[in-house]
Amino acid sequence: MEENSNASNVARAIVAALDWSSSPDARKAAVSYLESIKAGDIRVLASTSLLLVKKDWSSEIRLHAFKMLQHLVRLRWEELNSTERRNFANLAVDLMSEIANPCEEWALKSQTAALVAEIVRREGLNLWQDLLPSLVSLSNNGPIQAELVAMMLRWLPEDITVHNEDLEGDRRRLLLRGLTQSLSEIFPMLYTFLERHFGAALNEVGRQQLDAAKQHAATVTATLNAINAYAEWAPLSDLAKYGIIHGCGFLLSSPDFRLHACEFFKLVSSRKRSVDSSSSEFDSAMSNIFQILMNVSRDFLYKSTSSGVVIDESENEFAEYICESMVSLGSSNLQCITGDSTILSHYLQQMLGYFQHVKLTLHYQSLPFWLVLMRDLVSKPKIVGPAAADGSIDNNPSSGSGQVDNEKRKLLSFINDDICGTMLDVCFQRLIKREKVLPGTSFSLGPLELWSDDFEGKGEFSQYRSRLLELARFVASDKPLVAAIKVSERIATIIKSLLISPISAQDIAVMESMPMALENIASVVFDGSNEYLGGSSETQLALCRIFEGLLHQLLSLKWTEPALVEVLGHYLDALGIFLKYFPEGVGRVISKLFELLNSLPFVVKDPRTSSARYARLQICTSFVRLAKSAEKSLLPHMKGIADTMDYLQREGYLLRAEHNILGEAFLVMASVAGVQQQQEVLAWLLEPLSKQWVQTSFMWSIFHTVTFFERALKRSGIRKGSLNSQNSSTGSSTPLHPMASHLSWMLPPLLKLLRAIHSLWSPPVSQSLPGEIKAAMIMSEVEQTSLLGEMNPKLSKSVLGSIDGCQIDTNKEYAESHETDIRNWLKCIRDSGYNVLGLSATIGDSFFKCLDISSVALALVENIQSMEFRHIRQLIHSVLIPLVKFCPSDLWEEWLEKLLHPLFIHSQQALSCSWSCLLREGRARVPDVHAILSGSDLKVEVMEEKLLRDLTREIGALLSVLASPGLNTGLPSLEQFGHFSRGNMSSLKDLDAFASTSMVGFLLKHKGLALPLSQINLEAFTWTDGEAVTKFSSFCGVVVLLAISSSNVELREFVAKDLFYAIIQGLALESNAFVSADLVGLCREIFVYLSDRDPSPRQVLLSLPCITPHDLLAFEEALAKTSSPKEQKQHMKSLLLLATGNKLKALAAQKSMNVITNVSTKPRSMVNAPEPRIEEGESVGLAAIL
C-alpha cells in the first residue's frame, strides 16, 4: 500500500515538473521532491521506479521512471548487496520481455535496453555470461525482441566509445577487456540478426505484409546501429572473421539500409593498424574494405558519366558517404593496397573521378585525400640511417625509412602527368564562385557545379580556394613542367576568349581567378631550392621559355578598361618570383605598370571614374607586391622609378594615396638593400611630410600623412638576412631601427590629434558640437552589420574592402564637410593613429625615450570614461598591448601606472555595470548604441552584447599578455616548492622582490592597480563568457603562483579565500566547461600549496552545501598519497562535485544522455537540394514502410 502511495506521489511530481503550465514554484517543488526520492532510501527508489515503468502509467511518467532506474544503477549500485543486484538484473531483463510489444513506443524500448546495458557494465563479464542465454532466447522470439537485444548490445560499449572523464581507467580497461572477450558471442549474434531479418523483411514485402516487414526492418536498423558502436574499437580481424564486414557490404546494395551501412565503413576506414595487431590480418581486412567500396564507386562513377542517365539526390548523397569512406581509407590505410598495382591504380583513378566530378559535394569530399597524398609524397624524406658507401641513402626494404621511401616512389610512379594535369585543370576551373559566372558566359565551364554561397556548413570560399591552391603547389613541386604548361595554357585560353568576343563581367571574373594560381605555381617552381633551377638542364630552359612566353603575351596586351587593367597588374606582379631569378624582364614590367597607370583617367570628381581610381590604386599596389617577390632584381631600377614618381607628381598626375603606396614599395625595396638604403629612402619620403606635419593642413592631407607613417613603420623593419650579414661584417650590435630617428617629430603631433579626437566624446565637448559631427560619431551601418554578423549586399567593392581597414575613398584630396566624410576621417585617423603608436612601441627604447609619458597619458586615457566600448577595445588591442610588451622594465614605474590605472578603474566599473544589466535584464546597455535609433530592439541588444563580449575578451587578452612568461621571468616554478610546503616559510620573498622581474608582481605591488584588477578577475568568473575566462585564468594562474612564492599576507588571503571561492563559482556556469580543467587546476594549486599556510581554503570547501568534514579529510588523505598533479586534479574535481551536489555545470560529465537514434546519418543536402516530393503509390519495397 505504501509503495503504491509513493508511486502515486512520484507520478504526480513528474507530471507537475514536466507541465509548463504549472507555476514556477510548483515545478520547482516537484523537481525538489523527485531529487529527494533519488537521493533517499535506495530500495524505495527501486521499488517505486519499477512500479512506474509498468504499462498502467503514461509514457512521460514511464520514461522518467526509467531514467530514475538508470540513475540508481549508475550512481548508487554499490549500495545494493550482491543478491539484490542479481534480482534487479533479472527484473530488468524481464522488463525487456514485457516491453517487446508492437504498441510500445520506441523511446521506451530504447530506455529499457539502456537500463540492462548499464547493469551489465556495472556488474561486469560474469553477469553477461549469465544473461547471454536468456538474451539469445529472447531474440529468437521475434523481430521486436531481437530489436531490443540489438539496442542493448549497442549500449554495452557506451563507456568505451563516449569519452567520460569520470570513469576510472581501471574500470574502462576491465570493460574493454570483457567486451573484447565476448565479441565471439556478440558478433555472430549481430550477423544472424542482419541475415535473418533482412531476408524476412524482403519476404514480408513480397507477401504485402507491410507491418511485419516494418518490424524486421527496424531490427536491421537497430543491428546496424549496434555494429557501429563496435566499429571504432573492435579488432578488425574479428569484424572480418564473423562476417560483419561482408554483411554491411552486402547492405550497401539496399537503398533502405545503405546509409547506415555507410556509417560502419566510415568508422572502420579511418582505423589504423595497432602495434600489437597482426599486420597480415589487418591488411587483408582493409583490402577487402577497399574492394567493397571500390565496387560501389565504380558503378556510381560509370552511371554519372554515362549520357542519358539521371542521378537523383539520394544517389549523390550515397556517393558522398562512399567517397568520405574512400578518403579515410586512402588517408589512413593506403599501404594495404600498395602491393597490388592493379587495385592501387583503379583506386587512384576512382578518387580522381570524384575530384573532377561535376557535383561540388563529391569534388569537395575528395579534396582532402589528394591534399594529404600529395603533401606526403612531395615532402622530403628524413635521413635517419647511415648513408651507403656511395653516398646514397639506405633503401633497404626491411628498414623503416627505406620501406617508406620505396612506397613513396611507387606511389609517385602512379601519379603520372595525366593525373597531375587533370588535378590542375579542376583546381583552375573551381577557383571562381557560381555567383560570378552566370549562364551565357563566353568562356564555358559546361555543367560544372561551382562553389556557391548556398553551399553551407563547409566554411568560407577563401578557405576552399586556399586548399585548391595548396594542392596546385604540391603538384607543381612534383611536376613543375606540367604545372607551368597547364597554367600558361589556361591563361592563354582565357586571354584568347576575351580578345575574340565582347567582354562581359563574367569573363573578367574568370580572368581574375588565375593570378593567384599563377603566383602559387611560380613560387614553387622558382623558390630557389627547386632542383630544376640549379644548372642548365632542359627542364630549366623549358620552364624559362614557358614563363617568358607568358610574360611577353601579358606585356603585349593593350587593355585600357579599368577592370582589365587591374587584373593585368595582378598577373604581372604574380610573376615577381620569376623576375627574381630572371631579372631581364623587370624593366619591361615596370614600364608596363606605369603605362597602365597613365592609361587610366585621372579626373577626381567625376563619379564615372571611380572604377578607374580603384584600378590606379591596384596598379600602385602591384609595385609593392613586385618589390616583395622580386627583391634585389628591382634595386637597379629604383632611381628610374623615383624619377618617374617625381615627374608624375610635378605634373599633377599622381594622387597622394598613390604616392603613399609607391613609397611603400620603395621601402620594401630598400629593406632588401640594407639599413643605410632604408634611411636614405625614409629621409627622401618623410622630409616633405615633416614640414607639413607640424603646420595646419587640410583634413585629407593629415589623413594621408598618418597612413604613410603607418606604411613606413610596417615596411621599414630590418630583415634577418640583412641583419646577420651586417653583424657578421661589422661585428657590431643590432643597428638602430631606420624609423627611430623620425619618431621624435612624428609622434607628438599625432598624440595631440588623437587627444582632440578622444575629447569629442567627452560631455563638455560633445554637447556643443554641431549636429553633423554628432551624427558622424555614431556607429556606421557597416559596423552595425558587422556586429550583427550580416553583410549588406549593396555595399560597393571599396566599402567591402574597408571593413578591416578604413572605409574611405583614399583618393580624396578635398572633401565636402558632410557626415559620411567626417565619420570616415575620424575612423581612419583613429585606426591608423593607433597602429602608428603600436608599431612605434615595438621599436623599443627609442619610442619610450623620445616621448613624455604625461602627453601620452593625456592623449590616450584622459577621456577614457567617455570612450565607447569599441574604441576602448581598439585602443587596448592596437596600442596598449604592444606598449606593455615592449616597455623596458626600468620604465614600468614611470609609464604603466599612468596608463593602466585609469583603464583598469573605468573597465572594472563599466564591465561590472554592463554584465550586471545583461545577466539581470537581458540588456548589456553599452554606450556605443545609445544614439542608434533605427533598427529593432533585438538587433540593438545583439550589438550591445557583442560589444560587451569583445571588450571583455580584449581586457582578458591584455591580462594574458601581462601574465606572459616573457614579462614574468623572475617567477619560480611550482616544482621548487615540492609537495605540501608545510611551514617552509624561509624561501618566501617579499612581493617587492618580484616587482622588477615580474609584470604581475609589479601590478600587485601597486594597490591602485591591484584593486581594480582583482575585482575584474573575481567578477569575470560570474560572467557567461568562457572565451574571456580562458584569458583571465592565465592571469589568475600567475597571481596564484605569486601568492605561493611570496610572503605577502594580503595577497595570500585574497587568493586563498576570495579567488578560490570565485573560481568555484565559475565552475557552476556551463559556459566555462571547456576551461574547467584549468579552473580545477587552479583550485588544486591553491589548496595544495596554501591550505597549510592559511585556513581559508578548508573553510571555503566546508562552506559548500553538500560536504562533510569526513569528506574533506578523505580528500586530503587521497591528495597525500599521490604527487601526480593530474591525479590530484581528478581528486579535486570529484570533491567539488560531491561538495556541491553535482551542481557545477562546467564539470558535468560529458556522457551521452541515453538517447539512441535510428537514423545515424547527418544532413548532406548542401547544394540546392530540391524539396522531397512524395506521392502516394510511388514508393517501392521497404521504402514504402520506413
Side-chain angles (χ1 to χ4, degrees), residues 264-370:
F264 166 78
F265 284 105
K266 184 184 80 169
L267 294 170
V268 296
S269 295
S270 58
R271 297 276 300 274
K272 294 184 178 180
R273 185 195 300 155
S274 60
V275 178
D276 57 348
S277 65
S278 170
S279 60
S280 60
E281 292 182 354
F282 181 91
D283 291 354
S284 175
M286 274 298 173
S287 180
N288 187 21
I289 294 171
F290 268 101
Q291 292 279 19
I292 291 171
L293 296 181
M294 285 171 61
N295 289 337
V296 178
S297 292
R298 179 195 61 215
D299 295 340
F300 170 79
L301 292 172
Y302 176 78
K303 285 174 62 178
S304 63
T305 55
S306 300
S307 59
V309 178
V310 178
I311 306 293
D312 61 24
E313 282 301 320
S314 64
E315 287 283 337
N316 284 321
E317 184 181 15
F318 174 53
E320 186 183 352
Y321 271 76
I322 294 297
C323 180
E324 185 178 11
S325 296
M326 293 273 280
V327 169
S328 295
L329 273 176
S331 302
S332 303
N333 294 292
L334 199 59
Q335 75 280 356
C336 296
I337 60 169
T338 51
D340 192 321
S341 300
T342 303
I343 294 178
L344 179 59
S345 176
H346 288 165
Y347 172 78
L348 293 174
Q349 288 297 327
Q350 287 185 6
M351 293 308 300
L352 189 65
Y354 282 119
F355 186 69
Q356 62 184 346
H357 202 279
V358 295
K359 292 292 292 183
L360 176 59
T361 49
L362 294 174
H363 153 78
Y364 186 87
Q365 197 74 258
S366 64
L367 176 57
F369 164 76
W370 289 108

Side-chain angles (χ1 to χ4, degrees), residues 155-282:
W155 280 117
L156 271 183
E158 183 71 4
D159 285 329
I160 297 173
T161 57
V162 177
H163 176 66
N164 181 3
E165 197 175 85
D166 290 334
L167 191 66
E168 298 85 354
D170 290 342
R171 183 178 153 198
R172 182 181 284 111
R173 283 190 291 271
L174 287 173
L175 177 62
L176 179 59
R177 186 182 306 122
L179 282 175
T180 303
Q181 293 173 1
S182 303
L183 292 179
S184 59
E185 297 153 342
I186 294 173
F187 283 171
M189 189 186 307
L190 291 173
Y191 181 79
T192 300
F193 288 174
L194 285 183
E195 187 177 43
R196 178 188 299 164
H197 295 285
F198 178 73
L202 293 180
N203 291 334
E204 296 296 346
V205 169
R207 297 169 50 215
Q208 295 300 308
Q209 299 297 316
L210 298 187
D211 288 340
K214 185 175 182 179
Q215 293 175 8
H216 289 290
T219 303
V220 175
T221 300
T223 304
L224 287 171
N225 280 328
I227 288 172
N228 290 338
Y230 296 83
E232 287 185 281
W233 59 271
L236 205 64
S237 57
D238 287 348
L239 291 169
K241 177 181 177 181
Y242 296 108
I244 301 299
I245 294 175
H246 168 75
C248 291
F250 179 80
L251 290 178
L252 290 176
S253 62
S254 168
D256 305 291
F257 303 111
R258 62 188 182 186
L259 294 187
H260 290 83
C262 279
E263 189 71 17
F264 166 78
F265 284 105
K266 184 184 80 169
L267 294 170
V268 296
S269 295
S270 58
R271 297 276 300 274
K272 294 184 178 180
R273 185 195 300 155
S274 60
V275 178
D276 57 348
S277 65
S278 170
S279 60
S280 60
E281 292 182 354
F282 181 91

Side-chain angles (χ1 to χ4, degrees), residues 452-640:
S452 168
D453 289 333
D454 296 330
F455 192 57
E456 300 173 356
K458 297 296 185 182
E460 297 295 332
F461 173 71
S462 59
Q463 297 172 354
Y464 163 70
R465 181 175 57 190
S466 297
R467 298 172 79 189
L468 290 177
L469 294 172
E470 184 182 13
L471 179 59
R473 290 197 299 272
F474 292 146
V475 174
S477 181
D478 181 42
K479 304 282 186 182
L481 197 55
V482 172
I485 292 172
K486 282 291 182 181
V487 73
S488 178
E489 289 178 348
R490 169 77 173 174
I491 294 171
T493 304
I494 297 173
I495 292 174
K496 183 178 179 181
S497 71
L498 294 175
L499 295 176
I500 64 177
S501 62
I503 298 174
S504 67
Q506 290 77 30
D507 296 317
I508 294 177
V510 177
M511 185 74 179
E512 288 175 339
S513 68
M514 286 303 294
M516 293 181 71
L518 175 61
E519 182 178 7
N520 276 270
I521 289 175
S523 67
V524 173
V525 174
F526 300 101
D527 69 347
S529 62
N530 198 304
E531 59 180 300
Y532 299 104
L533 295 178
S536 58
S537 67
E538 293 183 7
T539 302
Q540 178 194 4
L541 294 175
L543 287 169
C544 292
R545 284 195 296 268
I546 291 169
F547 281 95
E548 286 175 347
L550 178 60
L551 178 61
H552 177 75
Q553 187 176 11
L554 294 170
L555 292 173
S556 66
L557 294 172
K558 301 298 181 182
W559 288 339
T560 56
E561 285 291 324
L564 291 176
V565 167
E566 179 188 336
V567 75
L568 180 54
H570 291 328
Y571 276 101
L572 293 175
D573 66 56
L575 288 171
I577 189 68
F578 166 69
L579 297 173
K580 175 181 178 180
Y581 294 98
F582 302 95
E584 294 83 359
V586 171
R588 289 182 293 158
V589 171
I590 292 173
S591 299
K592 184 66 177 180
L593 288 174
F594 276 121
E595 176 190 322
L596 293 172
L597 183 67
N598 292 326
S599 71
L600 296 168
F602 178 76
V603 180
V604 175
K605 294 189 177 181
D606 186 353
R608 292 173 298 175
T609 64
S610 60
S611 61
R613 288 186 293 176
Y614 184 82
R616 287 176 66 92
L617 287 174
Q618 291 302 307
I619 292 299
C620 293
T621 305
S622 290
F623 276 97
V624 178
R625 297 193 185 101
L626 197 63
K628 290 171 66 178
S629 54
E631 297 184 356
K632 293 183 179 180
S633 296
L634 260 69
L635 296 182
H637 302 274
M638 287 182 69
K639 186 177 185 306

Side-chain angles (χ1 to χ4, degrees), residues 78-139:
E78 301 300 330
E79 297 178 36
L80 299 175
N81 59 45
S82 58
T83 303
E84 290 172 325
R85 293 200 295 266
R86 184 53 57 95
N87 292 337
F88 193 102
N90 292 333
L91 286 172
V93 175
D94 292 341
L95 282 175
M96 289 180 66
S97 301
E98 294 175 14
I99 210 162
N101 189 304
C103 299
E104 290 287 5
E105 295 181 18
W106 183 87
L108 290 169
K109 293 189 288 185
S110 168
Q111 294 300 319
T112 308
L115 175 63
V116 175
E118 186 71 51
I119 294 170
V120 173
R121 286 202 300 269
R122 295 292 295 176
E123 279 295 277
L125 187 60
N126 292 334
L127 178 62
W128 164 250
Q129 295 294 342
D130 292 343
L131 293 182
L132 182 60
S134 300
L135 294 173
V136 172
S137 175
L138 177 64
S139 67

Side-chain angles (χ1 to χ4, degrees), residues 845-861:
D845 286 354
S846 299
F847 169 82
F848 292 95
K849 292 178 180 177
C850 77
L851 292 175
D852 175 27
I853 178 56
S854 299
S855 63
V856 177
L858 283 174
L860 299 183
V861 295

